Amino acid sequence: MKSGVVIIGAGHAAGQAAVSLRQFGYSGSITLIGDEDAPPYQRPPLSKAWLAGEAGLEDVLFKPEDFWATQDITVLTGRTVTHLNCDNKLLTCDDDTSVSFEHLIIATGGRARRMGCPGEDLAGVHVLRTLDDATGLSEDMKAGRQLVIIGGGYVGLEVAATARKRGLDVTVLEAEERVLARVTGTTLSGFFEGLHEHHGVRIITGAMAQAFTGEDKLSGVRLTDGTVLPADLSLVGIGLIPNVELALDAGLDCDNGIVVDDLCHTSWPGIYAIGDVTRHPNAIYGLNLRLESVHNALEQAKTAAGAITGREKPYNQVPWFWSDQYDIKLQIAGLSTGHDEAVTRGDLGANTFAVFYFKNNALIACDAVNAPAEYMAARMMIAKGANPDRAALVDMDVAMKDVMASALRG
């Protein structure tokens, strides 16, 4: 089989790359190869609408199923690429199919990190990354059952909110001293701990799971202090491992992700990588980053498609993320790691506020809770390295657009 552009993966990044190639005028053949049975779909709804029973397959598909045929894009599902020969521009799949390419885009994403502890193979122990994962977890989420979530990150907390909505008894275990400790400051951590406790979630911080107990099915989660928490089901939500093995075996540069430049080139000509699997430069922060976000997936996909079609536009944007929990919409602009100052605008009690993070007097991030104006202004100010006036920032009588305008004038 011969293809012009081959995309390994069939997630958000892969789907957008194929779409962008056609939008940018690419007329050659495009082939997506995905190891799941579904065509490209969106992952964010899996922890929310899908688990809540409010979304079906059509609701989470990246594009309607007939879209790919109308755009003359071949989608091969249920097929895993097992070998990449860079010299010969040839892929080998697990069904012994060979696929040649002119340009290759690697969008292999990542897989859920496992505990690697006793009992993890018991029925009732789940991870959440794929559509099959979400379906299995949803089927296990019966009202009245006891769910223990290991990991107080965004996915763990989103599932906790959905599970409470479905009537489960929920406990969240977090090894750090607060939830979201790796991604945000103390104000937001405290807010979300209070929010979940208000909705009946039990949160245990500074606690580590050691093993899962039970015969054939999960019955409990044992902590390192010997405590056993009763559990009918458990979700392990402790992060993602980038799927770099194919690239690493092929000789591409990897460093906790496939190393790419600001045009998504890998270390091999004609081969690109995009999405969760990449480590890429960001001039705003002066760092090489591996980001797990829809925004990064979509924008890197456009960047790679542009590079292939002669529309080179280096990727250098403010990272952004979001999380929906109960009636709360959290929007995050930038990266707060390493901040030396935090300023809060708004009212935590009213569930409408934003926390702005600074480093060396420059705004580097914002966590906005039901505060879209603050979020949008923060994105623009971070991109410009602005330093907004603190007194104006905390004064709700000063419109956010005026705070931003003053900061951008310098």
Side-chain angles (χ1 to χ4, degrees):
M1 184 184 300
K2 184 174 180 60
S3 292
V5 177
V6 176
I7 305 169
I8 306 175
H12 240 118
Q16 183 63 54
V19 169
S20 293
L21 282 166
R22 287 292 184 243
Q23 289 175 337
F24 295 163
Y26 184 78
S27 59
S29 60
I30 302 173
T31 303
L32 278 77
I33 305 175
D35 58 6
E36 296 184 58
D37 292 328
Y41 64 87
Q42 306 170 68
R43 296 190 192 277
L46 298 185
S47 59
K48 299 176 280 287
W50 183 273
L51 284 187
E54 299 169 352
L57 181 60
E58 290 185 0
D59 299 306
V60 302
L61 289 180
F62 187 73
K63 293 287 185 181
E65 287 198 66
D66 61 358
F67 169 85
W68 307 105
T70 64
Q71 294 295 310
D72 192 24
I73 297 170
T74 301
V75 179
L76 304 177
T77 59
R79 194 173 303 190
T80 301
V81 177
T82 57
H83 183 69
L84 164 59
N85 187 315
C86 298
D87 290 316
N88 296 331
K89 294 189 172 183
L90 189 68
L91 304 175
T92 304
C93 299
D94 57 354
D95 62 354
D96 292 328
T97 301
S98 293
V99 182
S100 61
F101 58 87
E102 179 183 2
H103 301 283
L104 177 68
I105 301 176
I106 302 174
T108 46
R111 58 191 181 276
R113 188 180 299 275
R114 303 277 180 161
M115 294 282 293
C117 67
E120 196 167 17
D121 58 347
L122 288 171
V125 179
H126 299 269
V127 294
L128 181 56
R129 177 63 181 173
T130 68
L131 195 58
D132 286 345
D133 292 338
T135 299
L137 178 59
S138 181
E139 290 172 350
D140 221 5
M141 290 174 63
K142 309 295 185 186
R145 286 188 171 179
Q146 294 176 304
L147 166 64
V148 175
I149 297 173
I150 301 171
Y154 291 122
V155 170
L157 295 182
E158 288 170 0
V159 172
T162 304
R164 287 299 296 145
K165 186 176 183 178
R166 292 186 57 173
L168 279 77
D169 180 90
V170 181
T171 298
V172 174
L173 300 178
E174 171 53 52
E176 301 288 341
E177 293 306 313
R178 56 187 176 89
V179 301
L180 303 174
R182 299 172 184 84
V183 293
T184 193
T186 56
T187 298
L188 205 75
S189 292
F191 172 80
F192 275 100
E193 287 176 9
L195 175 71
H196 280 275
E197 288 167 352
H198 173 75
H199 283 86
V201 176
R202 180 188 181 196
I203 294 179
I204 306 175
T205 57
M208 295 185 64
Q210 185 180 56
F212 298 97
T213 63
E215 294 298 326
D216 297 319
K217 190 179 186 310
L218 179 70
S219 63
V221 177
R222 179 183 296 116
L223 308 186
T224 52
D225 66 1
T227 302
V228 176
L229 302 176
D232 300 298
L233 65 157
S234 181
L235 171 69
V236 178
I238 56 173
L240 192 72
I241 298 173
N243 291 326
V244 300
E245 289 79 7
L246 182 72
L248 199 60
D249 289 345
L252 301 182
D253 289 347
C254 296
D255 177 17
N256 184 32
I258 302 172
V259 176
V260 299
D261 65 13
D262 57 8
L263 290 173
C264 298
H265 296 125
T266 69
S267 56
W268 198 278
I271 298 180
Y272 302 78
I274 58 177
D276 292 357
V277 76
T278 68
R279 176 169 290 277
H280 60 278
N282 184 293
I284 293 172
Y285 293 94
L287 297 171
N288 291 322
L289 305 172
R290 189 177 67 80
L291 297 174
E292 299 166 14
S293 76
V294 170
H295 165 246
N296 181 63
L298 297 180
E299 294 304 318
Q300 282 196 315
K302 296 173 187 177
T303 298
I308 290 171
T309 56
R311 300 186 179 203
E312 292 189 350
K313 183 180 179 181
Y315 174 46
N316 182 42
Q317 299 185 24
V318 176
W320 59 266
F321 317 83
W322 81 91
S323 178
D324 295 316
Q325 301 171 41
Y326 308 109
D327 59 348
I328 298 297
K329 175 171 283 295
L330 169 64
Q331 294 172 289
I332 305 106
L335 304 171
S336 61
T337 304
H339 70 273
D340 53 30
E341 182 184 1
V343 175
T344 301
R345 172 185 172 91
D347 185 355
L348 274 72
N351 293 349
T352 304
F353 67 95
V355 182
F356 295 84
Y357 302 92
F358 296 82
K359 184 176 182 180
N360 299 328
N361 280 328
L363 181 64
I364 61 170
C366 173
D367 294 328
V369 172
N370 294 338
E374 282 73 9
Y375 162 72
M376 290 303 298
R379 280 182 61 183
M380 296 181 69
M381 290 190 290
I382 294 167
K384 299 296 185 180
N387 181 22
D389 179 76
R390 310 300 190 269
L393 196 59
V394 301
D395 188 349
M396 293 299 291
D397 290 331
V398 180
M400 197 63 218
K401 64 180 181 180
D402 294 331
V403 176
M404 178 180 68
S406 177
L408 294 180
R409 283 196 301 267

